[in-house]
Amino acid sequence: MTELLTLTPLEKEALKLSLWISIWAVIAILPPGVFIAWLLARKKFIGKTLLDGLTHLPLVLPPVVIGYLLLVLLGRKGIIGGWLYENLGISFIFNWKGAAVASAVVAFPLLVRAIRLSIEQVDEGLEAAARTLGAGPLRVFFTVTIPLIMPGIITGVILAFARSLSEFGATITFVSNIPGQTRTLPLALYTLTQVPDGEAGAFRLCVISVVVAFVALILSEFSSRYVFNKVRG
Amino acid sequence: MLEVKVLKKLGAFTIDVAFSSGDSGITAIFGPSGAGKTSIINMVAGLLKPDQGQIYLDDEPLFDSKKGINVPPNKRRLGYIFQDGRLFPHLTVKSNLMYGMKLIRKQDRKLNFDQVVTLLDLETLLYRRPAKLSGGEKQRVAIGRALLTSPSLLLMDEPLSSLDGRLKAEILPFVSRMQKESMIPVLYVSHSTDEILSIADRVIVVQSGKVVFTGGLDIAMVKERPEFFPPFGSNNGLVYR
């Protein structure tokens, strides 16, 4: 019985890797996500429709296409990847950082959408009031806007995190399926379905995935309720 | 003293006004809804940019289109009390009150916290959230929050219009007392003859974006000029509707 409940080294590795990659993906996209959400919600500028479209593109493109595009752009011979490798020694190929990039790209639109919606709901009159009380634009942003959109930020982070955890197509296309580097829970599950006698293992990974998703959902529900009460008073 | 001479086109509507407020006391900007009163004090506050003109406060420029000066709202040292209060919902009453005060250097603070809390009778509200306050309480907090920034001028945009008659009667004495004790001049936007008669010293009448009358305010004068001041004393206390 205890054997059933203990994770095998391979399962542990896949679970840790999944969480690690998703956490980094979300951390990396949070600041630019808030900024772009703010731009799209508040500013009028030339190319806004283009930016809006580019932001949402990963939502409608097949993940495999995204993985392929990342390979072309960020590969060691790619336009951006080549420069990064030669000048900064950064490579995304076949390692967890590449997997985090793939997750970040597919999760980005979900994050931006949630935050943008909440920024649109902020009463700009409150920000104007803060200005008349002596606060500069940056202070207003951090002391009024950010606290008021906190529920939206949390929703966005949870959605992005969940999307990262379930990322498959872009990851396997961009950084392949390498144990300990890019073999996250979904990739490990897929691998087990491809080998003889893998079914039992695949089922266990399936259960782990469900449990992780469920815990994340419950945590998000509690935290967003807590923050919502804080903000609405 | 506040000196204003501004031109602003808002679609088909044009605001073209010149006026100055007194050195002290309460100056009312009076006129019907849609006359451009709020736009005028938004320009004074720096929330709306005039197309051209000058706004000077105590001989310091806040806005001067010829000199290319447009001081941002946070550097104008004005207190603004909005029609809808605009308290920060995520902060307690106390944090709301301190929001602007904390940004002022200690030596520049003209009023201290306890003084304002006593003046506006806010002791029992300090640890509540704005959502739990009545309309009148909200406006008292908003007045306190603006006062604590030690402004050189207070702008009040129909601060009582969202309150019913009883609450109006509750707040008006606070406004008068606050003005007398703090000595901060007030620019008070209103469309109610009753309201301005009970607190204002001077009046600037604005109609369709133009100043049509300026002068001291008393009942005799109001009765003499029904074209500017519709008959007052009606049941709801609001005359211009």
Side-chain angles (χ1 to χ4, degrees), chain A residues 89-145:
Chain A
I90 299 172
S91 168
F92 294 112
I93 293 307
F94 304 141
N95 61 33
W96 73 266
K97 285 177 228 153
V101 169
S103 285
V105 171
V106 294
F108 193 64
L110 294 167
L111 182 81
V112 171
R113 251 183 117 72
I115 298 175
R116 177 185 179 173
L117 282 175
S118 64
I119 292 179
E120 281 167 355
Q121 278 166 10
V122 169
D123 176 4
E124 288 183 60
L126 290 172
E127 294 163 324
R131 292 298 301 277
T132 67
L133 290 166
L138 214 59
R139 182 182 293 272
V140 172
F141 185 73
F142 284 106
T143 60
V144 178
T145 318

Side-chain angles (χ1 to χ4, degrees), chain B residues 1-61:
Chain B
M1 185 156 88
L2 178 75
E3 287 158 289
V4 177
K5 186 179 188 314
V6 289
L7 181 78
K8 173 81 184 169
K9 278 199 164 67
L10 296 162
F13 185 69
T14 304
I15 293 170
D16 185 1
V17 291
F19 62 87
S20 51
S21 78
D23 285 323
S24 63
I26 299 179
T27 305
I29 296 185
F30 182 73
S33 301
K37 305 185 297 292
T38 299
S39 301
I40 292 170
I41 69 165
N42 277 343
M43 286 191 265
V44 175
L47 299 176
L48 183 67
K49 195 182 168 198
D51 296 335
Q52 49 176 288
Q54 301 89 43
I55 301 171
Y56 279 75
L57 180 64
D58 301 327
D59 299 320
E60 294 286 327

